[in-house]
Amino acid sequence: MLVKSQANGTKRATDWNGVNWRKANRQVRNLRQRIFRATQTGDLKKVRSLQKLMLRSYSNTLLSVRRVTQVNEGKYTAGIDKLVVKTPGARGRLVEYLSTCQPWRAKPAKRVYIPKAKDKLRPLGIPTILDRCLQAKVKNALEPYWEARFEGSSYGFRPGRSCHDAITKIYLIARPNKRKKWVVDADIKGCFDNIDHQFLLDTIGPVPGRELIKQWLKAGYVDKEVFYNTEAGTPQGGVLSPLLANIALHGMEEALDVKYSSQGYIRGSRAVVRYADDFVVFCESKEDAEQAVVTLEEWLSKRGLSLSQEKTRITHLTQGFDFLGFNIRHYKAPQTSKTGYKLLIKPSNESVKAIREKLRAEWQKGLGSNTIALIKRLNPIIRGWANYFRIGVAKAIFYKLDNWMFHRERRYANRTHPTKPQHWKKERYWGRINLGRKDNWVFGDKHTGGFLLKFAWFDIRRHALIPGTYSPDDPSLRKYWQERIKTEVKNLPPSEQRIAKNQNYACEVCGESLFNGEELHTHHVKPRKDGGKDAYHNLKLVHLYCHQQIHSP
């Protein structure tokens, strides 16, 4: 429940389509950087003062509403109050309500279930839209403080860090010329559901917004119209939950006695790589790996957590293990390696099986639809999967998937035109449609020029590991992050890559990076209805919601 504040002040009307997003982003970014810098210098009093300022910031409210109601995947998923916000007017009113109200009591989350591996279901807790917006505001105040403290081995749900960083870190640790060849492939049992509330609150300390966090943790959930109390855990589905999980698991390196040299190189007998609640520990012997498990069990128990006995195992790199969709393993190579082994990081068998199932489902949905509509559904899936796995040794698997896709293309053609001869189908659906490739067997629509991508067209590209504890909130690293973010352009089609480069990889409306997680649209500077052409000089890439603002009345 939210109670209106009685504080005096000028009533402000928020015109959502008229918001100056450049100013809002700049103010929130500056506050985050000031919190980060004050944490580095140990000025805790200043940190708390700046966090209070962030919670009162109108710009923070604007960005939080945009994140929750437009950007996040669950923007149209209602909580127990069945409220969703879809229109600019409603977003403006929500901003005003959040700016002039006093949070009183958090409402329970709505329990929903989503499928996970092996036909299991993952429970999610969906807070109300108001609580999600408040959580986004608190996150902007709390996150930069912890970004200045988090360990460099933590890569999950942190700004500027990704799965690719975790895999690249593993590559550097697991190379055959290194000594840490025993791996604890660990899995925390129900991490989000079992984190001890009191430990988490004690770790967070007396920060502004602490009572709100306590309310969200204790709010409970509603499942099939039945209320349940929450004595432990932080609900998956909340905006703040990933950050709270990272805070709870902070200190794993210290517990495992991971040591670094002054240059940042690992010098101890152990190493750890963590992505949220998934992590692996590298050791020099099996006995040390077994001791690491004992240490972790004791360390996790203080947080109300434990390792899953069924999923946690100790393995040698010659046997390999799966992590974040990749398989990491040493293979014998006596002819080409001084050590007699080579490290290969490939897409795991489960990942290949999952993409085939996903593509098969799209092909089946596409029966009866026109070719170009089918291609528009399949291409983003192919591009996303190939871009994710192209950092590893994936070329052979890419070719196998292309062969599998060719058989799906033939089935589609045969079922769409059962009475036509094969040479007619070949002429209709295959040819050198992609003029940039010397390939006469590209599947597509010759009338429109649309074609289906092939996995093998994505070259293998290594990922540059983020150094140490680098964070986007560190103002001294601004130039580094400006250059690093440009590498995300590889995920765009070639034509859009050129447009992005022409505008220095920034959105023309809000001034933020094009690759901040928002959907991108192509904007015609001179509208086509006024004679504007699809030429590069007339095209700009903007975020979807910035594009809507451009064309708003």
Side-chain angles (χ1 to χ4, degrees):
M1 179 177 178
L2 293 170
V3 181
K4 288 191 175 181
S5 171
Q6 300 300 317
N8 293 326
T10 305
K11 184 173 178 61
R12 172 171 33 195
T14 298
D15 176 12
W16 188 257
N17 289 327
V19 171
N20 185 340
W21 292 111
R22 283 180 181 269
K23 180 180 178 181
N25 281 307
R26 183 177 66 252
Q27 290 181 342
V28 171
R29 181 170 57 249
N30 288 345
L31 271 176
R32 286 182 63 108
Q33 291 178 351
R34 291 174 66 189
I35 294 170
F36 184 96
R37 189 163 55 242
T39 305
Q40 283 185 319
T41 59
D43 191 346
L44 194 59
K45 183 178 180 181
K46 186 175 182 180
V47 169
R48 299 293 184 250
S49 176
L50 291 169
Q51 286 177 327
K52 291 177 183 177
L53 186 60
M54 178 70 86
L55 291 177
R56 294 194 299 266
S57 169
Y58 179 66
S59 293
N60 186 20
T61 302
L62 286 170
L63 292 181
S64 298
V65 170
R66 175 165 174 159
R67 174 65 56 182
V68 170
T69 66
Q70 290 186 308
V71 180
N72 288 356
E73 290 185 5
K75 55 184 176 287
Y76 297 139
T77 304
I80 62 168
D81 59 356
K82 300 181 181 180
L83 175 67
V84 293
V85 176
K86 296 184 178 181
T87 65
R91 293 185 186 103
R93 291 191 293 272
L94 179 57
V95 169
E96 292 309 307
Y97 193 60
L98 288 167
S99 300
T100 58
C101 72
Q102 181 65 39
W104 181 55
R105 182 178 297 172
K107 290 186 177 180
K110 183 177 75 173
R111 176 59 59 92
V112 297
Y113 297 89
I114 60 172
K116 56 183 291 189
K118 298 180 181 178
D119 297 325
K120 295 182 179 179
L121 294 175
R122 184 189 303 277
L124 297 183
I126 309 298
T128 65
I129 202 79
L130 293 173
D131 280 329
R132 273 179 273 169
C133 290
L134 287 169
Q135 286 186 25
K137 292 182 66 174
V138 172
K139 182 181 179 182
N140 270 334
L142 193 62
E143 189 172 52
Y145 169 75
W146 282 95
E147 276 296 306
R149 302 181 62 194
F150 279 149
E151 298 163 327
S153 61
S154 169
Y155 296 100
F157 303 117
R158 292 183 58 191
R161 292 171 177 250
S162 67
C163 297
H164 288 172
D165 288 299
I167 295 299
T168 305
K169 181 69 172 182
I170 287 175
Y171 169 79
L172 296 176
I173 297 171
R175 286 177 296 177
N177 63 334
K178 301 297 182 180
R179 298 176 60 182
K180 301 176 183 65
K181 301 183 188 298
W182 286 93
V183 181
V184 179
D185 183 10
D187 183 88
I188 300 176
K189 187 176 182 180
C191 178
F192 283 85
D193 297 328
N194 295 300
I195 294 175
D196 184 81
H197 286 171
Q198 194 56 50
F199 174 86
L200 186 56
L201 291 170
D202 291 344
T203 304
I204 291 172
V207 298
R210 184 181 188 276
E211 288 305 312
L212 270 175
I213 296 172
K214 184 177 181 180
Q215 285 186 38
W216 290 320
L217 292 175
K218 302 291 186 181
Y221 65 91
V222 175
D223 187 8
K224 297 178 181 178
E225 300 184 356
V226 178
F227 174 78
Y228 298 88
N229 286 311
T230 47
E231 301 301 329
T234 175
Q236 295 187 64
V239 176
L240 196 60
S241 295
L243 175 60
L244 296 179
N246 274 330
I247 292 172
L249 296 175
H250 173 63
M252 187 177 288
E253 278 191 342
E254 182 181 353
L256 291 168
D257 197 27
V258 176
K259 298 178 181 177
Y260 292 90
S261 68
S262 57
Q263 290 79 28
Y265 298 109
I266 297 174
R267 287 288 181 255
S269 61
R270 293 174 179 171
V272 62
V273 176
R274 181 171 68 84
Y275 189 91
D277 59 332
D278 294 329
F279 64 94
V280 286
V281 182
F282 293 86
C283 303
E284 295 183 0
S285 67
K286 186 176 182 180
E287 292 74 20
D288 190 40
E290 291 171 346
Q291 182 57 46
V293 172
V294 174
T295 302
L296 284 169
E297 282 282 13
E298 181 181 351
W299 183 79
L300 288 170
S301 65
K302 299 175 182 177
R303 292 151 174 79
L305 303 172
S306 62
L307 294 175
S308 171
Q309 299 300 321
E310 299 81 19
K311 297 180 181 179
T312 299
R313 67 190 184 108
I314 296 174
T315 184
H316 196 271
L317 279 171
T318 54
Q319 297 175 315
F321 65 96
D322 291 346
F323 189 67
L324 300 179
F326 290 86
N327 178 261
I328 298 96
R329 183 179 173 186
H330 281 179
Y331 292 83
K332 289 184 178 180
Q335 305 298 325
T336 59
S337 174
K338 293 181 180 180
T339 63
Y341 289 90
K342 61 181 177 181
L343 171 65
L344 297 183
I345 300 180
K346 305 177 180 179
S348 67
N349 291 335
E350 288 76 10
S351 297
V352 176
K353 181 180 178 181
I355 190 61
R356 284 183 175 177
E357 291 297 327
K358 189 172 185 178
L359 291 170
R360 181 182 288 111
E362 291 298 331
W363 279 108
Q364 291 173 349
K365 288 180 187 177
L367 290 175
S369 62
N370 62 62
T371 308
I372 199 64
L374 177 62
I375 290 171
K376 286 181 178 180
R377 290 202 302 269
L378 289 171
N379 275 350
I381 299 173
I382 296 171
R383 182 180 290 109
W385 199 88
N387 277 326
Y388 182 78
F389 287 103
R390 72 192 304 182
I391 69 164
V393 183
K395 208 64 176 179
I397 291 176
F398 282 179
Y399 280 116
K400 288 181 180 179
L401 285 172
D402 284 335
N403 290 334
W404 181 85
M405 286 289 283
F406 177 72
H407 291 297
R408 302 301 310 188
E409 294 163 8
R410 289 185 61 185
R411 290 187 63 178
Y412 172 84
N414 290 337
R415 294 185 68 173
T416 306
H417 309 282
T419 62
K420 297 291 185 180
Q422 291 299 322
H423 67 85
W424 184 92
K425 297 171 189 174
K426 196 273 179 186
E427 183 64 26
R428 170 72 179 268
Y429 289 106
W430 289 275
R432 191 174 174 181
I433 306 175
N434 182 357
L435 300 180
R437 299 277 175 176
K438 294 181 180 180
D439 188 342
N440 294 322
W441 287 93
V442 177
F443 180 84
D445 186 333
K446 295 184 178 180
H447 295 291
T448 63
F451 55 85
L452 190 65
L453 294 173
K454 290 189 176 184
F455 289 94
W457 291 350
F458 293 83
D459 298 330
I460 302 302
R461 294 182 183 176
R462 304 306 177 199
H463 179 76
L465 176 65
I466 180 173
T469 57
Y470 277 28
S471 170
D473 290 318
D474 189 342
S476 66
L477 299 175
R478 182 178 178 182
K479 289 185 179 180
Y480 168 82
W481 288 105
Q482 286 177 342
E483 291 300 316
R484 183 178 179 87
I485 202 69
K486 294 177 183 179
T487 61
E488 298 295 322
V489 75
K490 66 180 182 294
N491 297 322
L492 298 179
S495 59
E496 293 184 4
Q497 291 183 22
R498 181 173 173 181
I499 300 172
K501 183 178 180 181
N502 290 343
Q503 59 192 71
N504 200 28
Y505 309 97
C507 175
E508 292 289 302
V509 178
C510 67
E512 293 296 291
S513 167
L514 290 171
F515 315 111
N516 66 350
E518 297 189 35
E519 184 179 339
L520 296 178
H521 271 202
T522 303
H523 169 62
H524 290 77
V525 179
K526 184 178 180 181
R528 281 182 289 189
K529 64 182 180 64
D530 297 332
K533 304 295 183 182
D534 289 333
Y536 284 114
H537 68 270
N538 192 47
L539 298 176
K540 297 290 183 182
L541 280 178
V542 294
H543 299 125
L544 165 62
Y545 307 109
C546 293
H547 201 199
Q548 291 177 354
Q549 187 179 43
I550 292 173
H551 293 291
S552 62

